[in-house]
Amino acid sequence: MSAATRRLTTAQALVRFLSAQYTERDGVRRRLIAGTWGIFGHGNVAGIGQALVEYAAVMPYHQGRNEQAMVHAAVGHARQLNRLSAQAVTTSIGPGATNLVTGAALATVNRLPVLLLPGDYFASRVADPLLQQLEHPVEADVSVNDTLRPVSRYFDRVTRPEALIPSALGAVRVLADPAETGAVTLALPQDVQAEAYDWPEEFFADRVWSVRRPAPDPAELAAAAQAVRAARRPLIVAGGGIHHSEAEEALKALVDATGIPVASTQAGKGSLRHDHPADLGGIGHTGTAVSDALARTADLVIGVGTRYTDFTTASGTLFQNPDVRFLNLNITGFDAHKLAARTLVGDARTGLEQLTGALAGHRVEPSYEEEYRAGKERWERVVETAYRADDDTAVPTQTQVLGALDAVVGDEDVVINAAGSLPGDLHKLWRARSPRQYHLEYGYSCMGYEIPAALGVQQAAPGTPVWALVGDGTYLMNPTEIVTAVQEDLPVKLVLIQNHGYASIGGLSESVGAERFGTAYRHRAADGTFTGAPLPVDLAANAASLGMDVLRAKTVRELRDALAEARASSRPTCVYVETDPAPTAPPAEAWWDVPVAEVSAREAAVRARARYDAEAAGRRRHL
């Protein structure tokens, strides 16, 4: 007797298959592909589009406005749910597909799962060339979707219906694998999408993918414990892997038992609650004074779930103890071996629990605890000064905006940011009260991420107040998903800060001798510089035109009232505030390498190069 089959198109089979995939970790099961974002055009409207209609009851569909933004929304969703659930994104061929590249890079850089389903050219070549096809003179099998290969963790082009079976299984395996996950691309030729095939029923059965918690090798664990016991000034660098593994309580248990202090990367902030005595805040170029001071004298740096980007290491200048060594706990050997570290390859929570057991009875010296706790207290006074507004009728500074928001949010709120001057201010100053409150996308630092990501987070956490913090530069990059928020009744809160230009890059430009050229939103002056009057744009009116409720705040008092009103609102709401551009954030505590012109006729660049050479002299290789 032949096995049972079901006759469906390739697109129908894929959607039905995806609706039956689940992850399971620690006994908790989640739908792997919780929904599909899509913008339809030729290449997916008759295939995936028709299939989503066919299976609307089992595969939720979300209408996007920009393909890149749809990927950002899916990434926000996956991060909020600790990578245990993802979303798919479908596009047409041509520009719809190439618009996915930035979002795919962001997902892969940050180790976050998203499934990309771009349409592709005819596999049969019966229409060749077709609309939007990129013709290559010597590689006829190349399509624009090949731009997604280097930014995807898994890529396949499904050129026959039956090829979908191994391809779909391979794609889902990578999405659910904590060590390999990232963007996954299945390029789907439009004729193959619509072609029918007799699919085995087993293909559509519920399938559960176990998300592993691999334990470190016992020999590695013993060596790691010995290294910690021998260290006099150990420092933990908490990365995003702690959140992905839901290892926050395991980290706290280790710290409570040993007294080892914790500094956090952008992705790892919130691994300890801000008021824990061992939480020192951010580390690196945008870190706190206490974190960076301890990093310079640490003899053992224990990285947990971190990639050690140049912001964390201050471009190789931060860890200055001549005898410093590294111990890295990471789910991937690739990251665990960075900085010539002693490795603990395994799940963050499992590894921390086992390391705590192996360190039973060990604790750092009391004088070390006293030192970092005193440093933490000094930094708290810096935060209070930056947040404080002595005059409620004054125009707020950017740090006072953060102080006003800090006073309004609850422990459950999520604050999202990615680019501009806000990441530095937030990393130094924000008091994270829960593991999911601080949502900074700083692996790719992609302008335009915040608003769509807020949609994905809101979908993943209904009822949770979700805040997207954006400056005017970021807002102008990608505001269109406001329409989707209105369409789907997602009550995201947008804090739109107007400072008339690229504040972060303006400051960087000045520091490297580029004299803030091209960073202000102003009319062009007669001499070719942008020093004229601010442009007569009204971003608040723009947000309102896209369907948001808008609250304008001109003073600190009005800002506090507006934030409270926005938090209570059940509709998408924007708080618009023009800020005093005077810098009020603490200066950088560590260097970041941005090369400066080696020769120049302009004095600003000459001075900047001298500073650069002095800072670069402190760089070291950890071998």
Side-chain angles (χ1 to χ4, degrees):
M1 184 176 179
S2 61
T5 60
R6 190 185 311 187
R7 190 162 183 79
L8 301 173
T9 69
T10 304
Q12 291 165 358
L14 177 59
V15 172
R16 181 65 189 84
F17 167 83
L18 293 175
S19 71
Q21 306 305 301
Y22 297 86
T23 63
E24 185 172 80
R25 187 170 71 181
D26 304 330
V28 178
R29 183 174 298 186
R30 288 188 181 274
R31 173 86 169 261
L32 176 57
I33 303 299
T36 298
W37 290 89
I39 297 175
F40 296 112
H42 86 100
N44 70 338
V45 65
I48 294 291
Q50 190 282 327
L52 288 170
V53 173
E54 189 97 8
Y55 290 106
V58 295
M59 179 58 71
Y61 165 71
H62 311 292
Q63 185 181 56
R65 268 72 202 176
N66 175 281
E67 291 87 358
Q68 177 182 318
M70 293 193 297
V71 185
H72 293 339
V75 167
H77 171 98
R79 177 169 171 174
Q80 180 67 20
L81 295 177
N82 299 318
R83 307 192 300 188
L84 299 175
S85 179
Q87 292 177 319
V89 178
T90 180
T91 71
S92 63
I93 71 169
T98 52
N99 278 351
L100 295 172
V101 174
T102 297
L106 181 149
T108 296
V109 164
N110 287 286
R111 286 36 170 189
L112 292 166
V114 60
L115 177 60
L116 308 179
L117 304 173
D120 213 322
Y121 312 151
F122 284 79
S124 63
R125 310 285 179 89
V126 293
D128 184 53
L130 67 157
L131 178 65
Q132 298 177 327
Q133 180 172 344
L134 175 70
E135 294 182 90
H136 195 291
V138 295
E139 294 182 90
D141 63 339
V142 167
S143 83
V144 297
N145 287 332
D146 288 280
T147 60
L148 289 161
R149 289 181 183 271
V151 293
S152 297
R153 294 289 288 172
Y154 180 93
F155 179 98
D156 196 9
R157 180 174 285 113
V158 183
T159 56
R160 290 191 55 79
E162 59 266 36
L164 177 66
I165 294 176
S167 183
L169 290 168
V172 172
R173 178 192 63 78
V174 173
L175 289 170
D177 190 313
E180 294 189 32
T181 196
V184 167
T185 299
L186 296 182
L188 303 170
Q190 55 184 307
D191 53 344
V192 176
Q193 289 182 50
E195 189 175 343
Y197 182 73
D198 293 323
W199 304 89
E201 282 289 349
E202 293 87 350
F203 187 54
F204 307 116
D206 286 0
R207 191 180 300 265
V208 180
W209 300 81
S210 177
V211 180
R212 300 181 297 277
R213 289 194 179 278
D217 178 82
E220 285 193 342
L221 180 64
Q226 182 179 5
V228 176
R229 288 181 181 276
R232 294 176 58 85
R233 300 182 64 82
L235 173 67
I236 293 172
V237 175
I242 290 178
H243 294 311
H244 300 329
S245 178
E246 299 175 303
E248 296 88 359
E249 286 301 315
L251 175 66
K252 182 177 182 297
L254 173 65
V255 171
D256 288 345
T258 64
I260 300 174
V262 176
S264 301
T265 69
Q266 287 279 18
K269 196 172 171 79
S271 295
L272 283 183
R273 190 181 154 94
H274 76 93
D275 52 5
H276 190 285
D279 180 67
L280 307 183
I283 189 171
H285 177 63
T286 53
T288 67
V290 59
S291 287
D292 287 354
L294 260 65
R296 291 185 178 96
T297 60
D299 56 0
L300 181 68
V301 178
I302 307 167
V304 184
T306 177
R307 298 187 302 119
Y308 285 113
T309 68
D310 60 343
F311 257 59
T312 298
T313 67
S315 300
T317 64
L318 185 57
F319 305 111
Q320 285 297 318
N321 187 324
D323 299 319
V324 67
R325 292 294 180 264
F326 295 84
L327 167 64
N328 292 337
L329 168 58
N330 204 291
I331 192 73
T332 72
F334 175 81
D335 289 316
H337 280 87
K338 288 178 178 176
L339 300 177
R342 186 181 299 279
T343 61
L344 271 178
V345 179
D347 171 71
R349 193 173 85 181
T350 302
L352 287 169
E353 289 171 346
Q354 292 191 359
L355 186 59
T356 302
L359 291 172
H362 174 73
R363 193 170 184 88
V364 300
E365 296 177 2
S367 60
Y368 186 48
E369 290 191 72
E370 292 170 6
E371 176 187 344
Y372 71 68
R373 291 188 183 196
K376 177 181 174 66
E377 290 177 6
R378 289 193 298 272
W379 188 257
E380 281 301 313
R381 292 194 288 273
V382 173
V383 175
E384 289 294 342
T385 299
Y387 278 3
R388 186 171 59 245
D390 296 324
D391 182 1
D392 281 0
T393 64
V395 174
T397 65
Q398 182 162 284
T399 59
Q400 288 168 349
V401 172
L402 298 183
L405 184 62
D406 176 76
V408 167
V409 300
D411 289 11
E412 69 276 18
D413 292 36
V414 179
V415 176
I416 301 173
N417 184 242
S421 58
L422 279 165
D425 292 357
L426 285 160
H427 198 209
K428 294 186 189 101
L429 302 174
W430 189 258
R431 297 159 167 164
R433 307 178 196 176
S434 62
R436 279 279 148 244
Q437 184 178 78
Y438 188 87
H439 183 126
L440 261 285
E441 188 289 295
Y442 214 61
Y444 211 50
S445 188
C446 186
M447 296 178 71
Y449 171 82
E450 295 91 342
I451 295 173
L455 273 60
V457 171
Q458 194 75 83
Q459 290 173 332
T464 297
V466 179
W467 301 84
L469 275 57
V470 301
D472 48 280
T474 289
Y475 178 84
L476 287 169
M477 281 277 183
N478 203 4
T480 52
E481 300 315 300
I482 287 174
V483 177
T484 302
V486 174
Q487 181 181 38
E488 299 226 354
D489 296 319
L490 297 171
V492 296
K493 295 91 174 61
L494 170 63
V495 180
L496 176 51
I497 299 174
Q498 171 65 280
N499 53 25
H500 300 287
Y502 299 118
S504 174
I505 295 301
L508 178 62
S509 172
E510 186 173 33
S511 72
V512 298
E515 303 175 51
R516 292 185 177 263
F517 180 74
T519 62
Y521 291 156
R522 294 178 180 272
H523 284 286
R524 185 188 296 272
D527 63 358
T529 62
F530 294 89
T531 57
L535 299 178
V537 297
D538 189 339
L539 300 184
N542 178 262
S545 75
L546 296 177
M548 268 196 149
D549 292 345
V550 175
L551 306 171
R552 295 176 183 257
K554 297 181 179 180
T555 67
V556 172
R557 180 183 301 122
E558 290 178 0
L559 174 63
R560 289 173 181 153
D561 292 342
L563 291 171
E565 184 177 344
R567 188 174 189 273
S569 176
S570 60
R571 277 189 38 77
T573 303
C574 170
V575 175
Y576 174 84
V577 57
E578 293 197 41
T579 56
D580 182 340
T584 53
E589 295 288 338
W591 187 57
W592 180 44
D593 189 349
V594 178
V596 177
E598 192 168 3
V599 295
S600 174
R602 301 185 70 87
E603 183 58 31
V606 172
R607 291 194 303 269
R609 181 67 193 199
R611 292 192 299 270
Y612 176 85
D613 288 339
E615 294 284 1
R619 191 200 313 274
R620 59 182 294 196
R621 299 275 188 185
H622 297 285
L623 299 172

